[in-house]
Amino acid sequence: MKAMLLRVGIDKGSGGNLGPIFKDGSFEYIPIPEDFPSDIENTYADTPGRNGNNLSAYVRKGLKDRQIHFDPEFKSFTYGAGNHRPISKLNKNDLLVFYAGLKPYENKRYEEGLYIIGYFTVKEVLNFDLMDEDEIEKSTKSCRNNAHIKRKKDTDGLVIVKGYKNKSKLLDKAIKISVKSEDSIGKTLHVLSPKMEKITALSGSIQRSTPRWIEEEKNVLKLQKLIGLE
């Protein structure tokens, strides 16, 4: 059993801002905008959040009427990526933990940083390049809620992870995992907090483009306890 830490959701480099965290520790998961032709109907302006406002309340004006790339999605619990991304190395019962950049919304209790927002316990990893036409059709139907399936293009290079419904969750309250640091030229970085270093046996920066693997089972078990999965 192993775990992967994976950054998702809108951020300053993909969408232009961070999602909100509220004074009680709850948050809105704000997906990135969709950049490809898609059958997705939802925009930020017509998608309700969990705290009373539509998601458009938390994004810059130019995004409000854009389609949303809802990936991961927490209804049927799927996450997809193209070009054989590292998720293809996940196996059944591995843990896929999602974190996002969040900033305080109308409160001073929390600070801007990186927070765990949800997780999947892996049920199945679907590699579409290894399927025949019948298998692709079946898998497409079973993953119809996934944003990659809704894109108007083929499934070459697509991998989709499906989570167990009773062991996967969008959290009610975010869990902070970072502290601020600086790189060699003084630019602010968010790195794993000392607490998370002890839990994961990892250290240093956790950038969007580089998922981090947790290989030791004892550390995976600590991570499960942190997120409430026991």
Side-chain angles (χ1 to χ4, degrees):
M1 181 173 61
K2 59 186 181 295
M4 175 191 283
L5 286 174
L6 182 66
R7 186 167 180 172
V8 297
I10 199 168
D11 63 23
K12 294 175 183 178
S14 184
N17 58 270
L18 302 179
I21 183 167
F22 305 102
K23 63 181 179 180
D24 64 352
S26 65
F27 64 96
E28 291 291 1
Y29 160 45
I30 313 290
I32 62 173
E34 179 57 79
D35 289 329
F36 292 89
S38 173
D39 292 326
I40 292 172
E41 296 180 355
N42 294 89
T43 68
Y44 296 99
D46 60 20
T47 301
R50 300 191 295 176
N51 282 270
N53 293 323
N54 286 347
L55 297 188
S56 56
Y58 312 110
V59 301
R60 57 186 176 84
K61 186 176 180 180
L63 286 185
K64 293 187 176 184
D65 294 318
R66 288 277 301 276
Q67 291 173 303
I68 300 175
H69 185 75
F70 244 120
D71 193 36
E73 54 88 15
F74 292 91
K75 291 185 178 179
S76 57
F77 302 102
T78 67
Y79 174 76
N83 300 319
H84 298 292
R85 297 292 293 276
I87 60 168
S88 63
K89 298 178 182 179
L90 289 164
N91 296 311
K92 186 175 181 178
N93 294 321
D94 284 345
L95 187 62
L96 178 56
V97 177
F98 302 107
Y99 67 95
L102 301 177
K103 64 179 180 180
Y105 184 82
E106 296 181 349
N107 77 90
K108 296 181 179 180
R109 182 175 180 182
Y110 292 90
E111 63 179 5
E112 180 178 313
L114 301 174
Y115 293 78
I116 292 175
I117 64 164
Y119 62 88
F120 290 176
T121 302
V122 177
K123 178 180 180 181
E124 189 175 12
V125 179
L126 301 173
N127 189 329
F128 283 73
D129 280 357
L130 302 180
M131 299 178 185
D132 60 30
E133 291 185 4
D134 288 340
E135 290 171 327
I136 289 175
E137 182 178 0
K138 180 180 178 181
S139 296
T140 297
K141 289 180 180 178
S142 72
C143 299
R144 59 186 176 274
N145 287 333
N146 186 267
H148 287 267
I149 296 298
K150 294 182 180 182
R151 285 179 171 177
K152 298 177 182 178
K153 65 186 187 73
D154 60 40
T155 56
D156 287 352
L158 179 62
V159 176
I160 291 181
V161 174
K162 298 179 71 175
Y164 286 103
K165 291 185 178 181
N166 62 338
K167 296 181 181 180
S168 304
K169 185 178 182 181
L170 178 64
L171 297 180
D172 295 320
K173 295 188 177 182
I175 301 171
K176 194 168 187 287
I177 62 171
S178 71
V179 293
K180 289 182 180 180
S181 183
E182 292 184 352
D183 64 12
S184 59
I185 60 173
K187 182 180 177 181
T188 298
L189 292 176
H190 294 282
V191 301
L192 282 170
S193 67
K195 177 181 178 180
M196 284 301 295
E197 288 182 348
K198 290 180 181 179
I199 289 172
T200 64
L202 301 174
S203 62
S205 176
I206 40 177
Q207 302 297 329
R208 186 181 190 100
S209 59
T210 309
R212 301 293 300 272
W213 289 95
I214 302 166
E215 302 281 358
E216 294 291 333
E217 185 170 351
K218 65 180 181 180
N219 298 113
V220 177
L221 294 173
K222 290 178 183 178
L223 184 58
Q224 286 182 325
K225 184 176 180 179
L226 176 70
I227 63 178
L229 179 63
E230 298 185 62

